[in-house]
């Protein structure tokens, strides 16, 4: 895409990736750039047993659920996300913990003993979760899913790669085994 760009969602729009291959049971990560115009309780990325969302108080929340599992939730403190500012958000999950990073910094962690073993195989939705009264209002860019928990150093590099005038490598050099989906749908 164009540097400094992204896709704008107005709270009624979303993207849907149909027939997403189920991520392997176990560790996973999701990373994306967001620029909220308004702080709402809205899903950013949902599917495969994962829901990463913003809250009205400016925090970030990750919920991870297996087919027969109890939802596991971790949330940052309020007021981390600012409107009209770009943030790089990352959520990781492994057998030890659920972690949330904002702009390359660990902001919340919940220790745990195991991950849900049977993730759902839902379509992946970006910017809205079915059943929510409103979707995300703002811009989304560079959404990445990983079949493993990224390290803190990898997350910091991904954050730096996206900052203006600081990038010296491509995302492909950071994780060449990434998965790319092209079958997008949605309501627009």
């Amino acid at each position: 895409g164009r540097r400094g760009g992204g896709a704008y969602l107005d709270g009624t729009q979303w993207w849907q990736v149909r027939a997403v291959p189920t991520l392997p049971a176990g560790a996973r990560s999701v990373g994306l750039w967001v620029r909220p115009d308004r702080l709402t309780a809205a899903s950013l990325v949902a599917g495969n047993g994962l829901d990463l969302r913003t809250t009205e108080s400016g925090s970030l929340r990750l919920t991870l659920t297996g087919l027969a599992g109890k939802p596991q939730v971790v949330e940052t403190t309020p007021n981390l996300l600012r409107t009209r500012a770009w943030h790089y958000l990352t959520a990781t999950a492994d057998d030890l913990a659920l972690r949330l990073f904002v702009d390359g910094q660990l902001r919340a962690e919940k220790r745990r003993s195991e991950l849900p073993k049977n993730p759902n195989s839902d379509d992946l939705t970006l910017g809205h979760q079915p059943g929510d009264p409103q979707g995300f209002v703002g811009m989304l860019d560079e959404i990445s899913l990983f079949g493993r928990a990224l390290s803190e150093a990898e997350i910091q590099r991904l954050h730096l790669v996206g900052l203006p005038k600081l990038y010296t490598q491509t995302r492909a050099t950071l994780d060449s085994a990434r998965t790319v989906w092209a079958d997008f749908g949605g309501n627009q």
Side-chain angles (χ1 to χ4, degrees):
R2 185 175 54 84
R3 186 111 188 116
Y8 184 79
L9 301 173
D10 68 4
T12 66
Q13 301 165 310
W14 69 90
W15 294 323
Q16 183 172 3
V17 184
R18 300 187 189 279
V20 173
T22 300
L23 290 175
R28 65 190 79 164
S29 300
V30 59
L32 70 157
W33 284 93
V34 301
R35 184 185 181 272
D37 279 355
R38 187 170 59 219
L39 294 175
T40 59
S43 182
L44 298 168
V45 178
N48 271 298
L50 177 145
D51 183 17
L52 180 63
R53 62 178 48 237
T54 58
T55 70
E56 292 171 341
S57 67
S59 65
L60 185 63
R61 179 184 304 141
L62 171 65
T63 303
L64 197 61
T65 308
L67 289 175
K70 177 181 168 188
Q72 299 159 43
V73 180
V74 62
E75 186 170 339
T76 66
T77 58
N79 303 315
L80 279 178
L81 302 178
R82 296 181 322 275
T83 58
R84 295 175 182 76
W86 282 102
H87 298 282
Y88 185 67
L89 309 179
T90 312
T92 69
D94 60 26
D95 281 337
L96 300 176
L98 304 177
R99 295 178 186 90
L100 291 172
F101 295 80
V102 177
D103 297 327
Q105 301 299 308
L106 179 63
R107 297 300 187 165
E109 179 175 37
K110 180 178 182 179
R111 293 282 177 194
R112 48 166 297 85
S113 60
E114 66 176 322
L115 286 172
K117 298 301 181 197
N118 298 313
N120 300 316
S121 60
D122 303 336
D123 289 347
L124 187 71
T125 59
L126 307 171
H128 179 72
Q129 171 77 321
D132 283 354
Q134 180 172 354
F136 178 73
V137 178
M139 296 182 83
L140 298 178
D141 200 12
E142 299 182 30
I143 299 129
S144 303
L145 297 175
F146 302 87
R148 62 184 176 82
L150 297 175
S151 70
E152 190 165 353
E154 289 174 309
I155 292 166
Q156 289 170 351
R157 283 195 308 264
L158 285 168
H159 174 243
L160 289 175
V161 165
L163 292 175
K165 299 183 183 179
L166 291 179
Y167 59 96
T168 58
Q169 52 188 329
T170 66
R171 292 197 186 281
T173 63
L174 295 173
D175 186 0
S176 59
R178 68 199 182 284
T179 302
V180 178
W181 292 283
D183 185 14
F184 284 94
N187 69 338
Q188 294 296 314

